[in-house]
Amino acid sequence: MLHAPESPLHGLWDTWLFPADDGYHLFYLKRDLRDMFAKSIAHAVSPDLVHWTAERDALHSGDGNTWDSGWLMTGMVVRHHDGRYYMFYGAMVDQVQRIGVAISDDLHHWHKHPKPVMEACAPFYETDPRRSPNHEVAWRDPCIVYDATSQQYYAFICARVPNGSYSGGACIAVCRSRDLLSWETLPPAFISDEYVCMEVPDVFALDGRYYLMFSTARWFDSYYQTSDPHCVNGTFYLVSDDLLSGWRRPAENIVIASRESRLDSYVGRSVMHPSDGSRLFYHHMVRRKHPNDVASFGAVKQLATTSDGALRVLARRDVDRFTQPLSAQSVYRSGGKWLTADSELCSQADAPSLYLLYQAEAALIETQLAFESEGGIAGVVIGYGSAAEQGLCIVLDRTAGQVEVSLCGAEFGALRRFPPLQARRADLRGAVHRLRVLVRAHYLDVYLDDALLIAFSWAHLPYGKAGFYAERTTVRFRDSRFAALTF
């Protein structure tokens, strides 16, 4: 949505963000789309989390028989007490993953430590790729946390336990260090009998608890259950009162995810805001495209907790100041009864109905929906009016109790809303809700009452008109905002 490699031969994959005095530094696996895997770690810088400037690549795979001569894997940047920056990153050679480090004085020039600093070892962790369901030794994606009480660093790592089942056996490995170069291997912090891999662990403290986010998907041949059948591939979380033990999975532990056949967002991670202490949440957004997936760095969000400790992703307003209000154009109506009064639009619709006002491509759309009847469906439409007379419909389906993204369009002379491409369960029992949609290029974020529910990728660019949708309800649209993104 906000940043990706300029070259069509390269793709963005797992990302890690580091706030510094001169702005935000984004590092990511730069995939070669001709062979799928990353041989470089790319670098971009932003002053505001919206505008990104590509820098020269930070690292490349090693040559010859070096430990990192294979595919590069996800990393993280840590600032040492001596003022230098340590970038931990992984590599896989002969199906065995290892973790090493590169050191920098300025975040731009990196010097590799000659040997890996962390490797899987018995008796706690799987070390034989022939015994793994993925035919590889999982030892990747380090998350480095400094514990002020013990004055030590802890690394949380995606790994597997020995003799784990082929539909489970994932664990979060732990290593400990005082100097970031010499590491002691500890027992796992968490072992799962449902997940094959718990990728890119992210550990942090927030509002008096510890949280551990991780990403996984059913393509690992694990058939775990989630609280929402529409959300199985993505980022989830555990919670604990202790950094190294007691991790438990809440009943509803979805951070952001998509249905089994999709991979719209992945690798949700967090970092502390450099000035206000809030917890920034970021991820990359994926568009399925044969023969490879392509992705973009998504808009940065914010993490918060509820009174009972549940983790929520909230909207940040970084992009809002880079918008320009859209001017209403000629109205297109299809079905229903639409009434306007001041800044309010009222719809009375038994069947699918549209009220299109704006020409919108990259846009920020917000509206408050006040339902005057039980049940019903209402929301917004973007990109309507292409040759196929279709648009993308984002609605609150109060009857089903979920937010949905689907296509709507003309079929045999009648307007129709098609089955959801993606959905997320939500409490829609209240009569009034606020919907926020951010769309840029092939990607969009959907927020309900300021909480992120859906991150979605669309195969087609959203050219065409934008406006309102209603079905089987009487609903008022209030305080609506349609603005073009100017970046």
Side-chain angles (χ1 to χ4, degrees):
M1 177 181 283
L2 298 185
H3 180 71
E6 293 182 359
S7 170
L9 299 178
H10 295 125
L12 174 147
W13 207 237
D14 293 4
T15 60
W16 51 104
L17 187 64
F18 186 82
D21 294 338
D22 62 346
Y24 297 89
H25 291 254
L26 175 67
F27 300 92
Y28 61 89
L29 297 180
K30 188 169 75 174
R31 300 171 68 176
D32 188 326
L33 297 181
R34 294 163 293 186
D35 65 7
M36 293 184 62
F37 298 102
K39 301 288 281 188
S40 302
I41 293 174
H43 181 198
V45 177
S46 172
D48 53 20
L49 293 172
V50 175
H51 300 88
W52 293 92
T53 301
E55 303 285 334
R56 72 175 188 175
D57 290 348
L59 290 176
H60 298 278
S61 295
D63 299 323
N65 295 321
T66 56
W67 76 270
D68 64 349
S69 61
W71 306 324
L72 297 184
M73 312 195 87
T74 309
M76 180 178 183
V77 173
V78 177
R79 189 171 188 181
H80 193 278
H81 298 312
D82 65 8
R84 295 187 297 172
Y85 302 96
Y86 285 59
M87 183 191 293
F88 293 86
Y89 67 102
M92 182 163 66
V93 176
D94 295 331
Q95 301 305 112
V96 176
Q97 299 168 9
R98 299 174 178 86
I99 295 169
V101 65
I103 303 173
S104 174
D105 293 319
D106 59 6
L107 291 168
H108 292 272
H109 303 86
W110 296 90
H111 306 282
K112 295 180 180 179
H113 188 71
K115 297 180 180 180
V117 295
M118 287 178 270
E119 299 185 56
C121 60
F124 301 124
Y125 304 108
E126 186 175 73
T127 59
D128 185 351
R130 296 169 298 179
R131 300 183 66 87
S132 169
N134 296 330
H135 308 293
E136 63 187 29
V137 171
W139 192 259
R140 62 183 182 271
D141 311 338
C143 172
I144 314 298
V145 176
Y146 180 71
D147 178 53
T149 303
S150 64
Q151 296 185 340
Q152 297 196 86
Y153 295 93
Y154 291 91
F156 296 85
I157 299 164
C158 169
R160 287 181 50 81
V161 294
N163 303 314
S165 77
Y166 273 34
S167 61
C171 72
I172 301 298
V174 181
C175 294
R176 178 171 59 192
S177 174
R178 290 193 180 275
D179 62 3
L180 292 176
L181 292 178
S182 299
W183 291 86
E184 173 191 4
T185 304
L186 302 180
F190 181 80
I191 300 173
S192 171
D193 59 0
E194 288 186 277
Y195 305 120
V196 169
C197 284
M198 300 170 69
E199 298 194 287
V200 198
D202 185 72
V203 178
F204 55 92
L206 186 63
D207 297 336
R209 296 178 176 89
Y210 289 103
Y211 293 88
L212 191 160
M213 295 191 300
F214 64 94
S215 293
T216 196
R218 285 193 177 166
W219 63 61
F220 289 118
D221 286 335
S222 50
Y223 298 97
Y224 50 87
Q225 298 297 312
T226 69
S227 59
D228 187 335
H230 303 295
C231 300
V232 296
N233 295 342
T235 300
F236 306 87
Y237 74 96
L238 310 174
V239 65
S240 178
D241 297 320
D242 183 81
L243 181 63
L244 298 178
S245 63
W247 292 100
R248 59 192 182 275
R249 189 180 72 175
E252 297 187 12
N253 73 327
I254 299 167
V255 180
I256 186 68
S258 51
R259 65 195 307 173
E260 188 166 359
S261 60
R262 302 184 62 91
L263 184 68
D264 293 282
S265 60
Y266 208 59
V267 183
R269 308 184 74 175
S270 71
V271 68
M272 183 178 291
H273 191 282
S275 59
D276 64 21
S278 62
R279 199 79 195 174
L280 301 178
F281 176 80
Y282 61 96
H283 57 94
H284 65 267
M285 304 181 72
V286 184
R287 179 165 62 97
R288 309 311 295 264
K289 182 179 180 181
H290 183 77
N292 212 332
D293 298 336
V294 295
S296 172
F297 183 68
V300 175
K301 288 86 174 173
Q302 186 165 316
L303 288 175
T305 64
T306 63
S307 58
D308 59 357
L311 201 59
R312 301 176 71 218
V313 179
L314 302 180
R316 283 182 58 87
R317 301 291 170 173
D318 299 296
V319 304
D320 293 41
R321 56 196 174 106
F322 303 109
T323 61
Q324 181 177 343
L326 286 168
S327 299
Q329 299 183 346
S330 58
V331 176
Y332 171 86
R333 294 182 179 87
S334 178
K337 183 178 181 181
W338 295 87
L339 304 172
T340 58
D342 298 325
S343 61
E344 185 175 281
L345 176 68
C346 178
S347 171
Q348 298 173 343
D350 295 324
S353 59
L354 287 178
Y355 188 90
L356 303 180
L357 273 171
Y358 304 95
Q359 188 73 26
E361 295 179 10
L364 172 63
I365 302 170
E366 291 187 289
T367 187
Q368 184 186 81
L369 295 91
F371 291 88
E372 297 184 359
S373 56
E374 295 294 328
I377 300 167
V380 299
V381 169
I382 60 172
Y384 192 93
S386 65
E389 291 190 81
Q390 289 187 349
L392 202 60
C393 190
I394 302 102
V395 299
L396 280 57
D397 187 336
R398 299 179 77 214
T399 303
Q402 59 192 28
V403 176
E404 301 173 352
V405 177
S406 59
L407 289 172
C408 70
E411 185 178 68
F412 302 113
L415 181 65
R416 178 186 172 192
R417 187 174 64 91
F418 296 91
L421 299 169
Q422 181 61 51
R424 178 81 181 266
R425 287 178 176 171
D427 184 357
L428 300 177
R429 290 172 293 182
V432 180
H433 297 279
R434 188 154 191 86
L435 181 65
R436 172 184 169 98
V437 178
L438 177 66
V439 55
R440 191 167 191 261
H442 298 273
Y443 309 99
L444 67 151
D445 290 329
V446 180
Y447 300 84
L448 176 68
D449 299 326
D450 239 19
L452 178 70
L453 289 194
I454 295 173
F456 182 82
S457 66
W458 194 19
H460 306 284
L461 289 171
Y463 61 89
K465 282 197 170 185
F468 304 92
Y469 179 92
E471 179 183 346
R472 301 202 303 271
T473 189
T474 297
V475 59
R476 295 182 182 273
F477 298 89
R478 299 169 176 164
D479 300 324
S480 300
R481 176 189 182 193
F482 286 71
L485 304 181
T486 58
F487 55 89

